Amino acid sequence: MDKNQACYLCQGCGLGEALNFEKLQEVVEEAGIGEVKTHEQLCSPEGVAFIQGDVDGGVNAILLGACSCRVKTNEFDFGPEVIVERASLREQAVYPSEAEYEGEEEAGEDRQMLAEDYLRMSAVKLAKSDVPVPFQLEEAPETSVMVVGGGVAGINAALAAAKAGVDVFLVEKEDALGGFLGKMAKLAPENPPYQELEDTHLEALVAEIEGNDKIKVYTGNTVTETKGAPGNFDVTLSGGESFRCGAIVQATGWLPYEPEKLAEELAYGSNDAIITNVDMEAKAKAGDLGGIGSVAFIQCAGSRDQNHLPYCSAVCCTVSLKQAMLVKEANPEAAVYVIYKDIRTPGQSEEVYREAQRKGVVFIRRGEDYPKISESGGKLAIETADVTLNDTVEIDELDLVVLATGMKPNNPRVVEPPLVALGMDQEAAKKVAAEAKAACDDWSVLNLKYRQGPNLPTLKYAYPDSHFICFPYETRRTGIYAAGTVRRPMRVTAAVEDATGAALKAIQATKAAAGGFAVHPRSGDMSFPEFAMQRCTQCKRCTEECPFGAINEDEKANPLPNPTRCRRCGVCMGACPERIISFKNYSVDMIGSMIKSIEVPEEDEEKPRVVVLVCENDALPAIDMAARAGHKWSPYIRFIPVRCLGSINLVWIADALSSGIDGVMLFGCRRGDDYQCHFIKGSELANVRMSKISETLDRLVLESDRVRVEEISFGEVDKVPQIIAEFMETIEEVGPNPYKGF
Amino acid sequence: MVMATKAYDKSFREEVYKNVDSGEDVKLCMQCGVCGITCPLRDKMTHGPRQIWSLIRAGKRDEVMDSPDIMLCTSCYTCKVRCPRGVKVIDIMHGLAHYALEQGIVPRAETAKFGKVFWDSIYKTGRVDETEVPMRYTLTAGPIHGLFNTLEMMDIGRALLSHKRMKFKLGPGIPPSKKIKGIKGLKKMLDKAQAMSPGKEG
Ligand code: SF4
Ligand code: SF4
Ligand code: SF4
Ligand code: SF4
């Protein structure tokens, strides 16, 4: 594009008094932008009109020296054809720096240099950026959605999508819709005042599906193959049919934890009257509860137990409450006991707990140990610790004992190892867990033809979630959403909510694929990675490291990008040793040039320079907030926002150190099991890459202390100045970069 | 039916639900422990309220009915105000005490005797005579113990007399306490209330 550049410097928010604008203007002009204007408040209607006037007159590339790029985004949006590059003079230069420093010959010199550097960097980025051209699929993008799984989540997802006007393919492996809902007698109370057990309303739901001409149902079918990408998924079913859809919702439910594994702890299998909550539900559905005179439910049967399911399934308490109420309904005189560790009743289920109590169900807190179940006189007896009585108590004359077992992800390959891993010898456990996880990942409902494997990547307990808190329903395969118990244990109410959420996300994904923009977290981003293929060495790093499996490969191992699967994280760009992957507005060269545009003072000036590569998702907002909260930090720091720590190419660190910068810090999200990375693996990968860099540093006779990775979360505002101060201290200890002035 | 000593037995809890004031609230306790920890008499109790509930649920009739704990409650109301489940803790405690006495069980003799003297004073005169009630209560211990107890309380008595907080009496009923106006009406009300107490209807 022909760029017509202009720079606007804002004097509002105290910037006018804090900086020397004549000098700033000179710096921008030297950086090659002829038109530099100042304004007393750019975000005011007059300020915006001031810029708009120039845009109308032909300016299409704007450098804004004002506040953080995270604020006033509506004001400074001049349409998709105009590039706006923002230097955060307020949050990164003025707020965090002191007005003067002791011993400076000129007041505020450090602050002024800081602002000048930010303008230089932004000017370089602006010069190298282009307007992104949205990616268009070769074949017309589809708007339809496939829902796999015809249980409560699948049915509701299909209905939600159809109601939104979208064509739906609903695939169910059984011959009838319903899933586990079809096996349930009643639902626990779901509506205020949470006292009445409720109907499953399955028939009505199925009738609604059948009566909806937007929904095409394939029962008795599984998915044998899913090819393509959002907008163009080509699906083949076991029945031989095939179709194309735009996005997918996987709602394939759960598996009950195997009670056979509780033979030792809870005598399962020793007596027919020891059953699971699943069996109990069947009994209730068959109307077979009348004869129960006394029953005990044992909660956490294998749950929250390092030797079985280490997690809480969050449903079995409510299920037992419901089943206890069912017994009481059938026979109000029945003695009903619930022996628990903690009653966990998420959402409104606490009301269900009260109702069960009102009905006279007796609750006994057992502590960690399992109760002992034995047979006596043709009935069952239980001996259990009663924590509140600090005693051991007995319950005898029991007709039935119900084990409240938990939920496992619906993947037949999920065996105990990934779940028990924690209780065993750690090294051995890790190995078993890794093997088991690999087995899980190799099995799939969707049978994706993806370079990275057929299944949705899973987390610790083999659930295919990706970012539990921020992006529910998201899997690590763009355009494929998980709804209901396939992603975590949950009860029917939650699965229905999930279904709606996932259906809407799926529709959004089809729109994004059609419009050529990203789904979250860079929602609306039109840029996408472009590969300068003639220089590709087929090293496979990009295809392997892309957290979203966006890149397939051909027979010769050439990367085949699928831009509609791409989330625009830039991890591939960070991975590529040939540096041939770039975005229109984000590239290795761009950031490298920004780093090189920083003015590095001579060694004897004793003004070190440190570059901090900041992840825009959590670290950058934390810095902005810290600045606004009045925290101050060293003026020798230069922040450069990056899309993800995973997008950092090692060459930038080399660029920085060879231009005399004294230290480089990477500021990003937490990694590991409780990762906060918005692109899942980004900060993890950055860490791996950084651990390899110390070798290179040694070769350059540079101390590896000069490079550091720090993890921070959105709310850890107070940590920002602390981390910076610590790093500056280290840099002072290591001394100036020997490459200064080369 | 012979039950193992420690085995849960549902008959006592049903008895409590039916006969004890607010007894059904016992079902609602979620064993959070707030009542026990806020009770100012917790150090004097072997079982705080929530343990009493557990014992009721477990069917331990004797342990509950013989427990002095159910007669220690001073009606400070802290537990009832704080219970997150809205269990009427003090009502049940008093209800249990009352129920025990009705059954001829005296979980804590002192309290029972004091209660009796207190009640008699109100029933007969319509007021709590501050000289008469302690005197009579002291004597419930028998003439000898009563005398010793009285001597023990001498200093307090003297101080109260000198501050005109107490009227002088030679002995119980000498001179007799003054009755309130309309004592007959009050007696009627009290009789009716007694007839209405839980467990009496059936
Ligand atoms: S829901 Fe209840 S029974 Fe189930 S694992 Fe959690 S605490 Fe245990
Ligand atoms: S690594 Fe990120 S930017 Fe690259 S293809 Fe994958 S999702 Fe897209
Ligand atoms: S990382 Fe770069 S060189 Fe390696 S396969 Fe991908 S594009 Fe080619
Ligand atoms: S405060 Fe209420 S709920 Fe908690 S232990 Fe006491 S009676 Fe039970």
Side-chain angles (χ1 to χ4, degrees):
Chain A
M1 84 185 251
D2 277 342
K3 262 188 229 159
N4 187 355
Q5 306 186 95
C7 170
Y8 301 87
L9 301 174
C10 184
Q11 294 183 318
C13 291
L15 303 187
E17 301 79 61
L19 297 165
N20 179 337
F21 275 70
E22 273 162 40
K23 276 171 81 184
L24 291 183
Q25 189 155 349
E26 274 169 37
V27 165
V28 178
E29 281 165 2
E30 270 168 35
I33 302 179
E35 194 84 21
V36 188
K37 298 180 176 177
T38 52
H39 190 277
E40 61 198 15
Q41 195 191 5
L42 280 176
C43 63
S44 65
E46 301 78 40
V48 173
F50 177 64
I51 303 176
Q52 187 65 52
D54 289 357
V55 169
D56 296 340
V59 166
N60 62 3
I62 295 171
L63 168 54
L64 273 184
C67 41
S68 163
C69 61
R70 297 181 46 83
V71 297
K72 308 280 179 196
T73 44
N74 287 341
E75 284 84 343
F76 299 137
D77 179 0
F78 299 100
E81 297 302 317
V82 180
I83 310 173
V84 179
E85 186 53 44
R86 297 179 61 174
S88 175
L89 299 184
R90 193 177 71 176
E91 281 83 352
Q92 293 177 359
V94 173
Y95 283 0
S97 64
E98 304 287 351
E100 325 182 9
Y101 288 87
E102 260 178 279
E104 298 299 344
E105 55 278 24
E106 197 185 319
E109 189 197 70
D110 280 333
R111 172 186 276 178
Q112 181 72 21
M113 289 171 86
L114 191 53
E116 289 171 7
D117 269 347
Y118 280 127
L119 287 172
R120 272 188 211 100
M121 289 195 275
S122 297
V124 172
K125 176 124 189 264
L126 184 67
K128 294 191 179 263
S129 289
D130 253 321
V131 169
V133 183
F135 173 82
Q136 290 302 316
L137 285 161
E138 272 169 34
E139 295 173 53
E142 269 295 331
T143 55
S144 57
V145 171
M146 168 172 73
V147 177
V148 189
V152 63
I155 288 175
N156 281 285
L159 287 173
K163 274 184 203 147
V166 161
D167 285 319
V168 180
F169 304 97
L170 177 57
V171 184
E172 163 59 45
K173 72 174 181 327
E174 304 289 337
D175 291 332
L177 293 176
F180 198 76
L181 196 64
K183 298 182 183 160
M184 286 166 83
K186 286 273 185 175
L187 300 182
E190 306 209 298
N191 292 293
Y194 308 98
Q195 287 169 1
E196 298 296 325
L197 298 178
E198 292 181 30
D199 218 60
T200 61
H201 295 299
L202 178 60
E203 291 77 17
L205 285 170
V206 173
E208 208 181 329
I209 294 265
E210 279 162 357
N212 193 318
D213 56 11
K214 288 211 149 300
I215 306 175
K216 194 153 171 24
V217 183
Y218 297 91
T219 44
N221 265 285
T222 54
V223 177
T224 48
E225 185 179 87
T226 306
K227 273 200 299 209
N232 276 339
F233 281 119
D234 287 309
V235 178
T236 315
L237 300 183
S238 56
E241 299 217 37
S242 58
F243 51 79
R244 176 172 274 192
C245 62
I248 297 170
V249 174
Q250 184 177 331
T252 45
W254 59 286
L255 292 175
Y257 186 68
E258 299 88 342
E260 295 77 23
K261 293 182 186 143
L262 297 165
E264 203 176 301
E265 291 92 335
L266 289 166
Y268 184 83
S270 69
N271 187 311
D272 288 346
I274 303 174
I275 65 175
T276 68
N277 45 8
V278 177
D279 305 328
M280 184 65 174
E281 199 67 34
K283 236 174 146 48
K285 189 156 172 75
D288 190 15
L289 300 183
I292 301 174
S294 60
V295 51
F297 292 85
I298 297 180
Q299 297 310 108
C300 297
S303 294
R304 303 167 64 205
D305 176 341
Q306 300 298 2
N307 295 311
H308 297 280
L309 287 183
Y311 52 82
C312 167
S313 285
V315 289
C316 10
C317 280
T318 311
V319 168
S320 290
L321 294 170
K322 172 187 75 176
Q323 294 179 345
M325 283 161 74
L326 282 165
V327 173
K328 280 282 186 188
E329 253 174 32
N331 173 14
E333 296 305 311
V336 184
Y337 301 92
V338 176
I339 303 171
Y340 67 98
K341 277 207 275 200
D342 304 284
I343 292 290
R344 291 191 171 176
T345 44
Q348 297 303 327
S349 299
E350 187 70 9
E351 294 297 335
V352 184
Y353 180 16
R354 278 175 218 242
E355 188 52 26
Q357 287 186 307
R358 267 182 225 115
K359 293 218 155 51
V361 177
V362 175
F363 290 80
I364 300 165
R365 183 143 190 234
R366 70 165 159 95
E368 285 300 315
D369 294 335
Y370 285 112
K372 285 193 194 69
I373 307 174
S374 57
E375 231 180 282
S376 94
K379 300 246 177 181
L380 291 168
I382 290 180
E383 189 186 299
T384 178
D386 182 330
V387 176
T388 36
L389 285 181
N390 196 15
D391 201 354
T392 307
V393 297
E394 281 166 30
I395 307 169
D396 47 20
E397 304 276 318
L398 287 165
D399 296 322
L400 200 63
V401 170
V402 181
L403 308 183
T405 47
M407 284 182 165
K408 277 186 9 172
N410 187 2
N411 180 334
R413 298 271 184 91
V414 178
V415 281
E416 55 279 51
L419 309 171
V420 296
L422 301 162
M424 303 163 52
D425 157 43
Q426 280 304 293
E427 279 316 302
K430 270 189 199 144
K431 205 171 145 247
V432 186
E435 282 166 14
K437 188 172 180 311
C440 288
D441 288 349
D442 210 29
W443 179 90
S444 175
V445 166
L446 298 174
N447 291 304
L448 301 171
K449 284 281 164 283
Y450 278 40
R451 154 80 172 78
Q452 294 184 351
N455 200 6
L456 303 172
T458 57
L459 290 181
K460 191 157 81 184
Y461 300 126
Y463 286 103
D465 221 325
S466 69
H467 206 286
F468 197 77
I469 297 168
C470 299
F471 314 117
Y473 338 117
E474 290 296 339
T475 72
R476 275 161 54 185
R477 294 295 173 252
T478 308
I480 305 177
Y481 298 86
T485 45
V486 73
R487 72 177 185 91
R488 70 169 170 86
M490 64 176 79
R491 59 181 287 219
V492 167
T493 353
V496 173
E497 267 173 34
D498 247 46
T500 316
L504 296 181
K505 285 304 261 180
I507 294 172
Q508 200 179 43
T510 64
K511 305 256 183 237
F517 51 84
V519 298
H520 79 88
R522 298 187 58 81
S523 323
D525 184 1
M526 299 275 193
S527 72
F528 62 91
E530 294 168 73
F531 293 64
M533 282 306 295
Q534 55 291 0
R535 283 190 284 127
C536 172
T537 59
Q538 290 84 30
C539 74
K540 295 177 184 246
R541 291 215 193 140
C542 55
T543 56
E544 251 157 47
E545 292 193 358
C546 169
F548 306 102
I551 313 172
N552 276 13
E553 63 186 23
D554 65 11
E555 319 75 59
K556 292 186 188 134
N558 283 308
L560 295 174
N562 288 277
T564 61
R565 290 186 202 160
C566 168
R567 306 252 177 117
R568 284 73 169 172
C569 60
V571 164
C572 51
M573 177 177 120
C576 180
E578 298 300 312
R579 308 195 284 278
I580 61 174
I581 305 175
S582 57
F583 299 78
K584 286 271 190 294
N585 50 11
Y586 189 52
S587 71
V588 176
D589 172 41
M590 239 173 251
I591 306 290
S593 307
M594 284 170 82
I595 293 171
K596 287 182 221 154
S597 74
I598 295 169
E599 279 205 345
V600 182
E602 296 295 328
E603 189 180 329
D604 52 13
E605 287 182 48
E606 290 184 11
K607 287 178 191 290
R609 284 292 179 263
V610 164
V611 165
V612 186
L613 297 165
V614 182
C615 164
E616 333 177 293
N617 296 300
D618 269 16
L620 189 61
I623 289 167
D624 278 359
M625 285 191 287
R628 270 178 242 138
H631 288 294
K632 306 279 178 204
W633 51 74
S634 164
Y636 304 138
I637 289 261
R638 304 292 182 262
F639 294 117
I640 300 180
V642 295
R643 290 186 176 188
C644 171
L645 287 196
S647 72
I648 291 171
N649 197 293
L650 290 184
V651 73
W652 296 341
I653 293 164
D655 283 345
L657 295 177
S658 60
S659 51
I661 304 275
D662 300 278
V664 182
M665 184 154 64
L666 274 52
F667 228 14
C669 308
R670 196 163 39 240
R671 68 206 146 91
D673 274 351
D674 302 321
Y675 68 85
Q676 290 281 312
C677 176
H678 289 52
F679 297 108
I680 294 113
K681 285 199 306 186
S683 45
E684 189 91 50
L685 284 168
N687 259 281
V688 174
R689 292 180 197 151
M690 285 314 125
S691 63
K692 291 184 181 147
I693 207 177
S694 26
E695 222 176 274
T696 320
L697 290 177
D698 293 342
R699 217 172 45 232
L700 293 167
V701 215
L702 274 168
E703 303 78 2
S704 40
D705 283 351
R706 290 188 192 280
V707 181
R708 181 180 294 180
V709 189
E710 287 285 355
E711 295 172 6
I712 195 163
S713 75
F714 190 77
E716 293 174 312
V717 171
D718 294 346
K719 262 178 82 178
V720 172
Q722 207 180 312
I723 292 173
I724 294 174
E726 275 168 26
F727 190 56
M728 292 313 288
E729 239 168 68
T730 314
I731 293 302
E732 199 156 308
E733 275 164 30
V734 219
N737 179 343
Y739 286 85
K740 257 187 224 296
F742 269 84
Chain B
M1 187 170 44
V2 184
M3 304 285 284
T5 46
K6 282 179 174 174
Y8 266 61
D9 169 3
K10 70 182 205 168
S11 60
F12 181 52
R13 59 176 181 264
E14 314 243 285
E15 189 182 338
V16 169
Y17 298 160
K18 198 159 152 237
N19 298 316
V20 170
D21 185 11
S22 305
E24 293 230 40
D25 278 19
V26 168
K27 293 177 180 175
L28 276 177
C29 168
M30 59 173 176
Q31 297 295 339
C32 69
V34 164
C35 52
I37 209 70
T38 52
C39 178
L41 280 139
R42 63 177 179 275
D43 293 340
K44 303 261 180 281
M45 292 189 181
T46 317
H47 306 292
R50 73 153 171 173
Q51 279 195 341
I52 298 282
W53 309 167
S54 279
L55 290 166
I56 293 171
R57 292 169 176 187
K60 311 231 159 125
R61 191 175 201 276
D62 295 347
E63 274 182 81
V64 174
M65 301 288 264
D66 290 340
S67 166
D69 302 333
I70 61 174
M71 280 197 118
L72 274 174
C73 171
T74 59
S75 312
C76 74
Y77 275 85
T78 323
C79 51
K80 184 170 167 179
V81 166
R82 294 200 177 157
C83 171
R85 275 291 167 90
V87 172
K88 297 191 265 314
V89 184
I90 91 153
D91 304 52
I92 315 175
M93 288 300 248
H94 289 309
L96 284 168
H98 185 70
Y99 183 63
L101 292 174
E102 269 181 4
Q103 304 293 309
I105 303 166
V106 184
R108 190 172 188 271
E110 308 94 296
T111 316
K113 283 174 188 159
F114 183 82
K116 174 94 179 53
V117 172
F118 189 92
W119 173 260
D120 285 349
S121 174
I122 288 183
Y123 193 76
K124 283 184 193 141
T125 67
R127 66 173 91 234
V128 180
D129 184 312
E130 278 147 356
T131 316
E132 185 88 14
V133 171
M135 247 174 200
R136 282 188 187 274
Y137 173 64
T138 317
L139 289 170
T140 56
I144 309 286
H145 277 95
L147 192 62
F148 274 107
N149 289 349
T150 313
L151 288 175
E152 231 173 72
M153 302 294 280
M154 278 285 267
D155 288 350
I156 297 177
R158 230 184 258 131
L160 284 170
L161 277 173
S162 70
H163 285 91
K164 299 209 162 69
R165 304 293 303 168
M166 201 168 95
K167 282 200 196 110
F168 181 76
K169 280 196 177 190
L170 273 175
I174 323 172
S177 313
K178 263 176 87 180
K179 287 183 184 158
I180 57 156
K181 268 188 214 158
I183 181 72
K184 276 195 188 141
L186 179 72
K187 277 188 180 171
K188 254 190 182 166
M189 277 156 69
L190 293 175
D191 288 342
K192 189 164 182 194
Q194 226 174 358
M196 279 166 59
S197 76
K200 283 286 162 67
E201 64 270 42

